[in-house]
Amino acid sequence: MRSPDLQRGRGATVNATSKRFALPAREADGDWLDARDELDGGAPPLRTTVTSEAARTIITRNQSPDIGFDRSINPYRGCEHGCIYCFARPSHAYLDLSPGLDFETRLFAKPNAPDLLRAELKKPGYVVRPIAFGTNTDPYQPIERDWRLTRACIAVLAETRHPLTITTKSDRVVHDIDLLAPMAADGLATVVVSVTTLDSTIARTLEPRVPHPKRRLAAIRALAAAGIPAYVSLAPVIPHITDHEMEAILEQAAEHGARGAFFLPVRLPNEVAPLFRAWLDEHHPDRAAKVMATIQSIRGGRDNDPDFFARMRGQGPWADLLRTRFRIACRRHGLGHIKPDLCCDLFKPPSGPQLSLF
């Protein structure tokens, strides 16, 4: 039986609240048109809403020792891609919203992001290090088509010759090749495209609003053809759901021009774990217990191991086996590690107001 909260085209099956912040329960409803449910008996789809947010800063800094960057930009809060495993979901709780369906339907855009970026790069004493996009929510999720905030921020970095890295699950990144290719020619840009499965049936529920895997592989080919260093990320690998595809994904990525690869065993922090369990019960009830048992074996008996370094690698025989398979497949297909060596010596601080490119 389908869950009463289940929404077609969405990842979360429920709109679970955060126990950490004692949020009130929320109904998985849309707008006044939901009244049609009383007439035809079918639950209407949730509509995506986007709220304009006046951000105070745009560069987020971190000191995590197991992450290869110290600063990032997120032009959006929430992500319509709806990936059920997304570790960024708990961040919506800080907005008094659910990490479940709210995270993928109630989005926030930061239209002042380019101006904030320009102001921060102008500050005296600014030290250049690569800026990472796609570290929390996807910079090329569907609303980028209309808001174009990621492109506007990249334009500022291109103008100032500032290095950047992009991680995305969307082929929409190819729309910005005109900006990224010249940057890559100067050693200022790399792109990582995430491909978690080649199976469209699995992808439809696992990451429902992400472009088809074939389109993401085509994006790798287009980026590589333009001279932009392109990599593939298998993050996350989910035991008994997607792990059997590891070798096939790496082979396809190499054939499409990827230079290197990265993988991460699934991790389920805080509110993500109950959402993922509910998703398993809805879509894979025959193996739900087996999946969770294996995940816990990788995470030291818990749903998640938050410790630095361990959270990226996992532990135990299953984690060791995944690493071995990954290394062998990468070696077979000539894929290296994702360690972009970007140039930080060409930076020139911005001068004057942002020019309109859009």
Side-chain angles (χ1 to χ4, degrees):
M1 177 181 295
R2 292 168 65 87
S3 166
D5 280 339
L6 189 63
Q7 290 280 335
R8 176 174 291 183
R10 300 296 181 177
T13 60
V14 294
N15 215 27
T17 56
S18 172
K19 294 182 179 179
R20 289 186 296 160
F21 303 101
L23 299 182
R26 296 184 182 277
E27 294 297 326
D29 57 9
D31 56 22
W32 64 270
L33 291 175
D34 289 354
R36 71 181 182 182
D37 186 29
E38 299 174 3
L39 301 177
D40 60 21
L46 278 174
R47 290 168 179 78
T48 300
T49 64
V50 185
T51 300
S52 179
E53 173 187 341
R56 291 179 291 181
T57 61
I58 196 59
I59 298 179
T60 301
R61 288 174 168 79
N62 77 84
Q63 297 179 337
S64 301
D66 59 349
I67 296 179
F69 58 87
D70 69 351
R71 64 198 70 181
S72 60
I73 289 177
N74 291 286
Y76 306 107
R77 293 182 190 263
C79 187
E80 193 177 2
H81 279 164
C83 304
I84 191 57
Y85 49 74
C86 182
F87 61 81
R89 283 181 176 273
S91 63
H92 242 45
Y94 293 99
L95 303 174
D96 197 25
L97 294 171
S98 167
L101 287 168
D102 283 349
F103 176 79
E104 51 194 278
T105 60
R106 303 179 67 172
L107 311 181
F108 296 81
K110 306 171 185 177
N112 61 339
D115 293 335
L116 288 174
L117 176 57
R118 180 176 291 275
E120 293 196 41
L121 297 183
K122 277 178 130 178
K123 289 180 179 178
Y126 175 79
V127 178
V128 178
R129 294 284 300 276
I131 291 178
F133 287 78
T135 61
N136 194 44
T137 58
D138 200 305
Y140 288 102
Q141 59 178 290
I143 60 174
E144 169 66 9
R145 177 188 58 198
D146 298 321
W147 290 79
R148 306 185 80 185
L149 297 178
T150 297
R151 179 177 174 85
C153 288
I154 292 174
V156 173
L157 298 180
E159 174 197 337
T160 58
R161 310 193 79 185
H162 192 296
L164 64 85
T165 66
I166 296 171
T167 300
T168 181
K169 284 183 165 62
S170 176
D171 63 335
R172 188 169 279 108
V173 64
V174 303
H175 296 172
D176 291 342
I177 282 179
D178 61 318
L179 296 176
L180 295 171
M183 295 182 73
D186 290 332
L188 296 173
T190 62
V191 178
V192 181
V193 179
S194 177
V195 182
T196 55
T197 178
L198 300 175
D199 187 322
S200 58
T201 301
I202 293 176
R204 195 174 299 120
T205 61
L206 185 69
E207 41 197 28
R209 299 203 174 193
V210 175
H212 192 280
K214 289 183 179 179
R215 289 172 56 184
R216 283 176 267 169
L217 290 170
I220 291 176
R221 188 185 298 280
L223 292 164
I228 301 167
Y231 302 85
V232 67
S233 169
L234 282 68
V237 174
I238 306 174
H240 314 299
I241 302 292
T242 65
D243 69 282
H244 64 286
E245 298 186 74
M246 177 182 283
E247 288 81 3
I249 294 172
L250 292 172
E251 179 180 9
Q252 285 292 307
E255 290 181 358
H256 283 76
R259 295 190 180 188
F262 164 81
F263 94 96
L264 176 70
V266 67
R267 59 190 187 96
L268 304 173
N270 302 309
E271 293 87 349
V272 179
L275 291 170
F276 185 79
R277 287 175 178 273
W279 177 85
L280 281 175
D281 289 340
E282 183 66 45
H283 298 289
H284 299 282
D286 59 319
R287 69 187 87 168
K290 184 178 182 181
V291 171
M292 289 308 305
T294 304
I295 290 175
Q296 290 178 344
S297 76
I298 294 174
R299 297 300 177 185
R302 297 175 287 176
D303 290 344
N304 182 55
D305 179 358
D307 294 340
F308 290 135
F309 299 104
R311 62 180 179 166
M312 299 298 179
R313 292 175 53 83
Q315 58 182 285
W318 249 93
D320 292 341
L321 177 60
L322 289 176
R323 281 192 290 272
T324 300
R325 289 173 53 196
F326 180 79
R327 284 197 300 266
I328 292 173
C330 284
R331 187 165 58 246
R332 178 182 300 130
H333 300 295
L335 295 169
H337 297 291
I338 299 181
K339 289 186 177 180
D341 185 17
L342 297 176
C343 180
C344 296
D345 301 328
L346 301 178
F347 176 71
K348 53 180 183 179
S351 59
Q354 169 76 30
L355 297 177
S356 177
L357 300 177
F358 315 101

